[in-house]
Amino acid sequence: MNLPPTQPGASASTMLKVGILCHPTYGGSGVLASELALSLADRGHQVHLFSYDAPPRLARSSGPVQMHVAQGLPYPLFASTPHDLALVSAILDQHRAEGLDILHAHYALPHAVTGYLARQAALADRHRRAPKLVTTLHGTDITLVGSDPSYAPLTQFVLEQSDCVTAVSENLARRTREQFCRDFGSRACRIDVVRNFVDVDLFRPASAPHDGPPTVVHVSNFRAIKRVPWLVRAFDRATEGLDARLVLVGDGPEHAATRACVRELGLGARVLFLGERDALPELLAPADVFALSSSDESFGLSALEAMSCGTSVVATDVGGVAEVVAHGECGLLSPVDDLAAFAANLRTLLLDRARAQAMGVRARAIAVERFARGSVVREYESLYLRTLSATPWPFP
Ligand code: GMT
């Protein structure tokens, strides 16, 4: 930790050395971690991002974040290369060279475990203060993967061992406590909610409304939880007798099933598959509706990015989605398995463009008022400082 900030434009009073760990795959946690890394660096902190590959959002930026790609040595005895161990090594290497104040693990598995190992190894070095471990829970790291019996004891352990735990929504914080809180003093019970944010300057509304056919856009990594084939069925039902388009952005395990569904329903050219794309304002802003059909969703960062572009949202009322999408104000929510209700909501907004546009205006206002980047990044900064001062370094 150094005083004062060393880079022009730094607005934090203390310059921190922050190591961020995240998945480099397409997905909200990697997007959020990359955007946070870039924002912290902009504010004068020294930021290092550790992953087994460069996350797409970071790869396309010019910000001064130092990237540490750690893939590990493939070896015939390993069924798969243990890149999480290589990450521990890379973190230790950086810490020994220049010191790290904070390790911020995004997505509990494996990153909170990786961060825990690195912090414990650093604790053995009595000449340098060990970093504090902040763990941010994003969703399936608790609701699906982390609570599976094959990982649950380890998830519990690293939550309790983290110096600070945050969750991206109240819903996720509550579900984490229900699953993992067994001692009220422990970190698995004391979870700070720090919501996700969006760059409202990048994700902006289109300058003029489009005059093409009504359009629905969906962005995801096509995992089963996103239910993209279900969305295609709802779109088919919603657009009977209407010339409307469904634009699908992303790729993943359910891609083939989605294409099969489009073929089976004879939707042909009305459904466009755009594949993986990043920085999507130009795809989100012209759409009339953003659709989120997940069976579970702790937050819905893609919906927030669409809202910031002034696009209304039709979504399933699951997890923390209602904390982002205000029903009746900036979008319409429906019960998780009610395809007819979801389709009716889509049809309502596709037929009534004025209502969709009014909801889009409100969506933009909510994104700017509640989820703008600056205030959330400052929340993380204060949380880092609180965490650093809560448990003083024992070896002055
Ligand atoms: O979906 C996941 O498995 C993990 C993660 C990701 O990397 O995409 O998504 C979660 O984190 C996002 C960022 O915080 C949230 O916006 C998503 O709602 C959440 N996904 C789920 O809860 C399914």
Side-chain angles (χ1 to χ4, degrees):
M1 195 172 6
N2 296 332
L3 286 166
T6 52
Q7 295 200 10
S11 45
S13 59
T14 305
M15 192 279 273
L16 299 171
K17 294 178 179 174
V18 183
I20 290 187
L21 292 77
C22 73
H23 290 289
T25 37
Y26 278 89
S29 60
V31 168
L32 197 279
S34 304
E35 296 285 357
L36 176 61
L38 289 163
S39 307
L40 290 167
D42 268 356
R43 290 173 61 77
H45 302 290
Q46 189 189 108
V47 186
H48 300 264
L49 198 140
F50 298 89
S51 190
Y52 64 85
D53 207 348
R57 275 282 160 102
L58 191 74
R60 282 166 183 66
S61 77
S62 57
V65 171
Q66 298 185 51
M67 181 70 219
H68 303 252
V69 173
Q71 294 187 327
L73 176 75
Y75 191 66
L77 285 187
F78 300 147
S80 61
T81 308
H83 67 259
D84 30 9
L85 298 184
L87 281 179
V88 177
S89 277
I91 295 166
L92 275 178
D93 200 37
Q94 177 58 34
H95 179 64
R96 285 175 184 156
E98 294 184 67
L100 286 167
D101 300 308
I102 293 286
L103 283 177
H104 191 167
H106 288 265
Y107 206 83
L109 297 177
H111 297 129
V113 183
T114 309
Y116 167 79
L117 283 175
R119 185 196 64 188
Q120 293 310 106
L123 274 169
D125 178 356
R126 296 175 69 89
H127 304 295
R128 211 185 254 294
R129 175 185 168 133
K132 297 292 175 195
L133 175 60
V134 175
T135 297
T136 288
L137 307 173
H138 281 272
T140 49
D141 46 353
I142 291 298
T143 58
L144 206 69
V145 189
S147 52
D148 184 84
S150 59
Y151 294 120
L154 182 59
T155 309
Q156 170 109 47
F157 177 76
V158 288
L159 291 180
E160 290 175 351
Q161 294 297 319
S162 295
D163 296 300
C164 175
V165 178
T166 81
V168 298
S169 64
E170 293 288 352
N171 177 273
L172 183 59
R174 178 181 54 72
R175 290 163 79 183
T176 307
R177 282 192 292 267
E178 281 168 7
Q179 175 92 27
F180 292 110
C181 171
R182 58 180 179 181
D183 156 11
F184 285 107
S186 107
R187 283 289 161 206
C189 310
R190 291 183 291 143
I191 298 167
D192 287 272
V193 174
V194 183
R195 292 179 207 292
N196 287 331
F197 62 86
V198 61
D199 181 344
V200 296
D201 297 323
L202 177 65
F203 287 86
R204 300 183 64 79
S207 42
H210 77 100
D211 51 7
T215 303
V216 179
V217 65
H218 168 81
V219 181
S220 78
N221 40 22
F222 282 54
R223 282 168 307 144
I225 203 167
K226 304 290 178 181
R227 300 198 303 183
V228 193
W230 190 92
L231 170 62
V232 169
R233 290 187 191 286
F235 173 78
D236 178 46
R237 189 163 173 158
T239 55
E240 243 181 76
L242 263 183
D243 178 25
R245 300 278 179 277
L246 173 61
V247 178
L248 297 173
V249 185
D251 205 347
E254 294 254 284
H255 183 106
T258 309
R259 277 207 187 266
C261 186
V262 168
R263 233 171 275 129
E264 177 201 320
L265 296 170
L267 290 171
R270 289 177 52 209
V271 181
L272 274 74
F273 289 83
L274 297 192
E276 283 178 345
R277 308 281 174 107
D278 194 36
L280 309 154
E282 49 295 311
L283 292 172
L284 295 170
D288 298 275
V289 179
F290 179 89
L292 189 65
S293 44
S294 308
S295 57
D296 197 0
E297 198 72 59
S298 71
F299 184 91
L301 184 57
S302 53
L304 175 60
E305 291 183 337
M307 285 167 58
S308 183
C309 291
T311 301
S312 66
V313 178
V314 164
T316 42
D317 188 2
V318 290
V321 169
E323 295 174 44
V324 184
V325 182
H327 174 68
E329 258 188 80
C330 64
L332 297 171
L333 303 180
S334 53
V336 61
D337 285 324
D338 195 340
L339 188 138
F342 190 95
N345 286 343
L346 272 182
R347 190 171 179 86
T348 299
L349 295 186
L350 291 176
L351 284 173
D352 188 347
R353 274 181 146 169
R355 185 162 177 213
Q357 275 164 19
M359 283 190 160
V361 170
R362 185 67 195 124
R364 168 76 185 169
I366 291 175
V368 171
E369 285 158 20
R370 300 186 202 157
F371 300 101
R373 180 163 79 152
S375 55
V376 181
V377 173
R378 282 193 295 279
E379 250 185 273
Y380 274 120
E381 271 177 353
S382 356
L383 190 128
Y384 293 162
L385 293 172
R386 274 204 319 274
T387 306
L388 282 165
S389 58
T391 36
W393 173 235
F395 313 115

